[in-house]
Amino acid sequence: MEKIRIVIVDDHQLICDGLSRIIQEIPEFEVITTYQNPIEALQKIPVWKPDILLVDFEMPGLNGLELIQKLKLEIPDLRSILLTMHLDKATVKEALSQGVNAYILKNLDEFELRIALEKVRNDQNYYSAPVTEVLNDKYKVIQKNSNSQLESLSNREREVLRLIAEAFSTKEIAHQLSVEISTIETHRKSLLRKLDVRNVAGLVRIAIQEGLVT
Amino acid sequence: MEKIRIVIVDDHQLICDGLSRIIQEIPEFEVITTYQNPIEALQKIPVWKPDILLVDFEMPGLNGLELIQKLKLEIPDLRSILLTMHLDKATVKEALSQGVNAYILKNLDEFELRIALEKVRNDQNYYSAPVTEVLNDKYKVIQKNSNSQLESLSNREREVLRLIAEAFSTKEIAHQLSVEISTIETHRKSLLRKLDVRNVAGLVRIAIQEGLVT
DNA sequence: ATTTTTCTCCCTGTTTTCGGGGAGAAAGAA
DNA sequence: TTCTTTCTCCCCGAAAACAGGGAGAAAAAT
């Protein structure tokens, strides 16, 4: 039987090794390589043609979701599992809309990972309980603790906030989103008003607190 | 032969599982239990009487170093290995003075972990290369890349960075420190240059990453 | 004792942010 | 349908940030 070929991307070597060990114990899967640098991963993964990509969300330079998005352009049928430290509704939604096949938290156990792998192997999706709870607005407590402040923002505003926190200039953001600079300035003003802070420093703090960026 | 009994503490279950796997492959060692909650670990570890404690530094509630310190009060001859994401000179020094037996980075590989375990088993200490380099101030480059980006800053600059990240305006910072606005502007320019970022957003991110502010 | 770094302050000038508006088109909700 | 929100873009002006430089006094390192 052909084994399912997996590539792991996590900026910490030790984590890569640990995840590899867990996966190697499952006969149907094999880890063919791992990357610690998301930029390097982006360049080299296409030649490996993996079946499933297991990616950490929090990485320097390029986050896991961005990496998946970019790789999907080259490998359209790539299946992906996103691993994350924190739970953020906006990110979860974004991940789902980008066709991420599974989304699991690092504070879950290996069985959760096995289930996710098994599901993704069978072309199904898997989102762990806390993830779906966040999406279903069931546990308001979790939501409140995780991203209450961002709740008042529109999707566009959240996106702009993320980019501001990534230290992009207004001009760059406008270019990235293909709109006028004045539009981004308007969004920024709305963000300052809605989040009740006085400058970008305040915006960045909230964005990081809410897990919008790392 | 008696196996060396290890307890792992890391707030992420998946990381605990991964580390366990790596260690279980080494015949001399066995992981007897793992904890995700440092508070729970503090209460229950004494009854396990482990030989070696493998602890993540970055944990909510109680960091790894604090946990080791507190446990040492109850188990004076406990040996410990500290795992960390980032490298901070002050923390390394504190760890050494507290008698932490090994200090390794998560972005290192499993062989590093094996070496550390072997050393600690033989009542020796182990500090991975980047750690000792930080202490010796030899490899400034590695310092810059791994952590202590703050290491290159003067005390004054760190203070100004903290205040910027707290979302204070330049005028307010100048007033608080009883210096001219131009002085703070000079400090800010130095910060941008030394930390290699382009705007306050970048400064705030680093300040938060380095734990200068929350 | 000499050199280097730090802290302080200043200059000039450009770019960006911030605060206050207004306004039209489109999409969704009531 | 009407009302509301969102997204877009514009105006203005004041304030702040950014970029490049210089410079002296004090402190720290060598």
Side-chain angles (χ1 to χ4, degrees), chain B residues 73-115:
Chain B
L73 297 177
E74 293 197 58
I75 319 168
D77 58 345
L78 178 70
R79 280 169 287 176
S80 53
I81 297 175
L82 198 55
L83 270 175
T84 187
M85 295 272 194
H86 308 291
L87 206 49
D88 170 61
K89 191 175 178 179
T91 312
V92 172
K93 284 188 170 174
E94 178 70 11
L96 262 65
S97 72
Q98 291 299 325
V100 169
N101 302 93
Y103 194 124
I104 56 181
L105 297 171
K106 277 192 180 171
N107 59 5
L108 296 176
D109 57 22
E110 54 167 303
F111 297 105
E112 204 82 16
L113 179 61
R114 284 173 183 247
I115 294 169

Side-chain angles (χ1 to χ4, degrees), chain A residues 13 20 39 43 48 64 79 87 146 151 154 162 166 189 192 201 206-207:
Chain A
Q13 175 78 51
S20 295
I39 308 294
Q43 293 166 339
W48 286 101
R79 281 168 286 176
L87 206 49
S146 60
E151 213 55 49
S154 68
R162 203 195 83 240
E166 303 259 20
K189 279 186 279 191
L192 292 175
I206 291 180

Side-chain angles (χ1 to χ4, degrees), chain A residues 52-136:
Chain A
I52 299 176
L53 198 60
L54 185 60
V55 185
D56 182 27
F57 181 78
E58 291 90 0
M59 288 188 294
L62 193 72
N63 75 44
L65 190 52
E66 291 166 344
L67 176 63
I68 292 172
Q69 285 175 235
K70 289 182 188 293
L71 281 171
K72 280 237 174 185
L73 298 176
E74 294 197 56
I75 319 169
D77 58 345
L78 178 71
R79 281 168 286 176
S80 54
I81 298 176
L82 198 56
L83 271 175
T84 187
M85 294 272 194
H86 309 290
L87 206 49
D88 169 62
K89 190 175 177 179
T91 312
V92 173
K93 283 189 171 174
E94 178 70 11
L96 263 65
S97 72
Q98 293 299 327
V100 169
N101 302 93
Y103 193 124
I104 56 181
L105 296 172
K106 275 192 180 171
N107 60 4
L108 296 176
D109 57 21
E110 54 167 300
F111 298 105
E112 203 82 16
L113 179 61
R114 283 171 183 250
I115 295 168
L117 284 169
E118 202 53 49
K119 287 271 191 183
V120 173
R121 186 174 80 113
N122 297 323
D123 272 320
Q124 296 176 288
N125 289 346
Y126 179 76
Y127 308 103
S128 60
V131 174
T132 50
E133 280 159 8
V134 163
L135 286 176
N136 296 338

